[in-house]
Amino acid sequence: MQTKSISTQALQRLPMYLNYLKSLSNDKGTNISATAISEALSLNDVQVRKDLSAISGNGRPKVGYTKNTLIFDIEDFLGYHDNVDAVLAGAGNLGRALISYDGFNCYGLNIVAGFDTNNKIIGSEINGKMIFPMDKLNDLCNRMKIRIGIITVPAIEAQTVCDAMVENGIKAIWNFAPVTLSIQEGVLVRNEDMATSLAILSKHLTE
Amino acid sequence: MQTKSISTQALQRLPMYLNYLKSLSNDKGTNISATAISEALSLNDVQVRKDLSAISGNGRPKVGYTKNTLIFDIEDFLGYHDNVDAVLAGAGNLGRALISYDGFNCYGLNIVAGFDTNNKIIGSEINGKMIFPMDKLNDLCNRMKIRIGIITVPAIEAQTVCDAMVENGIKAIWNFAPVTLSIQEGVLVRNEDMATSLAILSKHLTE
């Protein structure tokens, strides 16, 4: 994985480029230009050019990029070729769904274990991943040097779980609980607020 | 469900208020003021006051809101007391996880059926919901007057599925495929881009 810094906006466009590139059939040629990508995705030409040159050194004037090399470079930049281990706290319905979802592997994310406070769930296995009691978080995170934590506990418990994760070396938190977490500098929280998404969709139907 | 119009920003704050209110134990009193909520959530006092007065007529000067009434009013505004039927297209790993997730019921969303193109999946049942072939989308959406569609197909198929949904009366689309969908006016798309979330989290670890 490269460590060049790009803006969050640019980062959000990269998966879009990647999907477009992967959707192109091979008989459409092996090269692709930033202009062609920008036109297909209705994006600004200059912006696409800048995004791509920041993450790949393989563009050539008048020729563009070799498609497969560009796909590799984007995936590499996004960390899809690395495997990052993560833990998940809260093995309720949503947590179990995420642990069961094998698609994260394509993006380099590997959920190694789940944690819960419910004795009925602790000790069980979901998709081959063990569910441990919360007080084992410390041990496992430190031993396996886990850096990513996924929070799927109820809103009221989320801050406590977040604090425990950060205390044990977690640097990036994927939060599915509908709360704003307080965190110290250096830790990144990415909120995935399904309740809000649903509220916005539902409201639209009544407007 | 009320039909008052508030900004998307305000709408995004409502689930936050709701969670805070629900987290308060009953021995802390039955009333709550906008000021107390804004302080607890580190939000602007005036903003909270405005948000709440837009969705609830039950606030009283010096007294504030009756907590349980405010909880009801927010839930009502967000449509949690209604049941909106939805269909899901793409019963792969993520689609199956979402169909299996019962938590959406709390938010008034009811996934009635799934659709897929894979003959091995068609005809099977997930969490009591049938998986139909894509060409039955038309019939079911019209017969059940479905207004919400969830897209969990691969990126390359998402636009075709989106078009089929809109053609059959879907007005709000929850899109989990990492593509920008083209839609006609009057249809709302809410993107839930897990790949981008993961990329942003992974990048943070290398910075």
Side-chain angles (χ1 to χ4, degrees):
Chain A
M1 197 191 297
Q2 297 180 43
T3 53
K4 267 185 221 164
S5 200
I6 64 171
S7 73
T8 303
Q9 284 70 30
L11 194 53
Q12 290 179 337
R13 286 188 291 270
L14 294 182
M16 233 192 294
Y17 302 152
L18 188 59
N19 277 294
Y20 172 66
L21 292 167
K22 285 183 167 180
S23 76
L24 297 172
S25 68
N26 278 330
D27 50 298
K28 288 208 176 148
T30 55
N31 293 328
I32 181 108
S33 69
T35 308
I37 296 174
S38 68
E39 277 168 9
L41 299 173
S42 308
L43 292 170
N44 179 288
D45 181 38
V46 178
Q47 194 178 59
V48 175
R49 200 171 295 278
K50 200 179 144 202
D51 290 349
L52 297 183
S53 70
I55 58 111
S56 175
N58 295 305
R60 283 158 57 204
K62 310 255 178 199
V63 178
Y65 290 85
T66 310
K67 198 180 70 186
N68 289 337
T69 312
L70 186 56
I71 288 175
F72 181 91
D73 286 346
I74 296 177
E75 287 185 339
D76 204 49
F77 188 86
L78 291 174
Y80 292 180
H81 300 152
D82 305 294
N83 251 323
V84 184
D85 289 337
V87 291
L88 178 145
N93 275 324
L94 179 60
R96 282 202 295 270
L98 295 180
I99 293 179
S100 305
Y101 179 46
D102 287 322
F104 292 142
N105 286 330
C106 310
Y107 306 119
L109 187 85
N110 179 32
I111 302 175
V112 296
F115 292 86
D116 208 285
T117 52
N118 183 342
N119 282 326
K120 285 184 191 156
I121 300 175
I122 291 167
S124 67
E125 243 182 51
I126 301 164
N127 194 20
K129 320 292 170 70
M130 275 292 284
I131 308 303
F132 296 104
M134 285 300 295
D135 58 15
K136 293 274 180 226
L137 189 73
N138 180 327
D139 179 49
L140 192 131
C141 284
N142 286 295
R143 194 161 42 82
M144 295 190 69
K145 301 201 191 325
I146 306 288
R147 314 283 294 282
I148 294 189
I150 304 170
I151 296 182
T152 47
V153 298
I156 190 170
E157 295 164 23
Q159 187 62 54
T160 311
V161 166
C162 171
D163 292 345
M165 285 180 168
V166 173
E167 219 165 86
N168 290 297
I170 298 275
K171 293 287 177 214
I173 288 177
W174 201 8
N175 176 38
F176 286 79
V179 282
T180 306
L181 298 170
S182 308
I183 38 132
Q184 65 194 49
E185 219 176 309
V187 177
L188 180 84
V189 174
R190 174 83 181 176
N191 293 305
E192 211 75 45
D193 190 347
M194 303 236 183
T196 302
S197 289
L198 279 172
I200 289 170
L201 291 167
S202 292
K203 272 328 277 178
H204 175 71
L205 298 182
T206 64
E207 272 165 7
Chain B
M1 196 192 295
Q2 298 179 42
T3 53
K4 268 185 220 162
S5 200
I6 63 170
S7 72
T8 303
Q9 285 70 33
L11 193 55
Q12 291 179 337
R13 286 188 291 271
L14 294 183
M16 231 193 294
Y17 301 152
L18 188 61
N19 276 294
Y20 172 66
L21 291 168
K22 285 184 166 178
S23 76
L24 296 172
S25 67
N26 278 330
D27 50 295
K28 288 209 175 147
T30 53
N31 294 327
I32 181 105
S33 69
T35 309
I37 296 174
S38 68
E39 277 170 7
L41 298 173
S42 308
L43 292 171
N44 179 288
D45 181 36
V46 178
Q47 193 177 58
V48 175
R49 200 171 295 278
K50 199 180 144 204
D51 290 348
L52 297 183
S53 70
I55 58 112
S56 174
N58 295 305
R60 284 158 56 204
K62 310 254 177 199
V63 178
Y65 290 85
T66 309
K67 198 180 67 186
N68 289 338
T69 311
L70 186 56
I71 288 175
F72 181 92
D73 287 346
I74 297 177
E75 287 185 338
D76 204 49
F77 188 86
L78 291 174
Y80 292 179
H81 300 152
D82 305 295
N83 252 323
V84 185
D85 289 337
V87 290
L88 177 145
N93 275 324
L94 180 60
R96 283 201 296 271
L98 294 179
I99 293 180
S100 306
Y101 178 47
D102 287 322
F104 292 141
N105 285 329
C106 310
Y107 305 120
L109 187 86
N110 178 34
I111 303 176
V112 295
F115 292 86
D116 208 283
T117 52
N118 183 342
N119 283 326
K120 286 185 190 154
I121 300 175
I122 292 168
S124 66
E125 244 182 49
I126 301 165
N127 195 22
K129 320 292 169 71
M130 274 292 283
I131 308 303
F132 295 103
M134 285 300 295
D135 59 15
K136 292 274 179 226
L137 190 73
N138 179 326
D139 179 48
L140 193 132
C141 284
N142 286 294
R143 194 161 42 81
M144 295 189 70
K145 301 201 191 321
I146 306 290
R147 314 282 296 283
I148 293 190
I150 304 170
I151 296 182
T152 48
V153 298
I156 190 172
E157 295 164 22
Q159 186 63 54
T160 311
V161 166
C162 171
D163 292 344
M165 285 180 168
V166 172
E167 219 165 86
N168 290 296
I170 298 276
K171 294 286 178 216
I173 288 176
W174 201 6
N175 176 37
F176 287 80
V179 282
T180 306
L181 297 170
S182 308
I183 38 133
Q184 64 192 53
E185 219 177 308
V187 177
L188 180 85
V189 173
R190 174 83 182 177
N191 294 305
E192 211 75 46
D193 190 349
M194 303 238 184
T196 303
S197 290
L198 279 171
I200 289 171
L201 291 167
S202 292
K203 275 324 283 176
H204 176 73
L205 299 181
T206 63
E207 272 164 6

